[in-house]
Amino acid sequence: MKRSLVAVAVLFGVSLLGCGGTDVEVQPEEELASATGALCDASIPACEDLDMTGCGRGGDRTNCCLGGKTFVCTCTDISRVWLCP
């Protein structure tokens, strides 16, 4: 049930963007990875555990771990969920 509510919120946010809402800047794949491509620290959550979960403030960023490397997740402005690679 929780995931379906998040999915509805994301779809609603995307529909607003399609109707002239806030511009979204797409980051190249290289910018998503950390500068050094550092290996994951034990304190960094897995990207699949963090992706599409609630976050506090739009524009916030946090690190996540995917395939042994550190990536950046961004909190969306409209739906307030983490978007991770």
Side-chain angles (χ1 to χ4, degrees):
M1 182 74 168
K2 181 179 174 184
R3 287 183 182 227
S4 64
L5 290 174
V6 171
V8 168
V10 170
L11 289 174
F12 177 73
V14 170
S15 68
L16 286 177
L17 290 174
C19 296
T22 307
D23 290 338
V24 175
E25 182 179 327
V26 178
Q27 297 175 337
E29 185 74 25
E30 297 84 33
E31 289 183 25
L32 292 174
S34 64
T36 61
L39 295 178
C40 294
D41 184 325
S43 65
I44 298 175
C47 292
E48 63 263 11
D49 292 340
L50 193 57
D51 191 38
M52 299 302 292
T53 60
C55 57
R57 190 177 62 194
D60 283 351
R61 293 175 181 235
T62 191
N63 292 333
C64 71
C65 182
L66 177 66
K69 292 189 178 179
T70 302
F71 291 87
V72 177
C73 297
T74 303
C75 182
T76 61
D77 288 327
I78 296 173
S79 56
R80 301 289 197 266
V81 294
W82 290 113
L83 291 181
C84 305

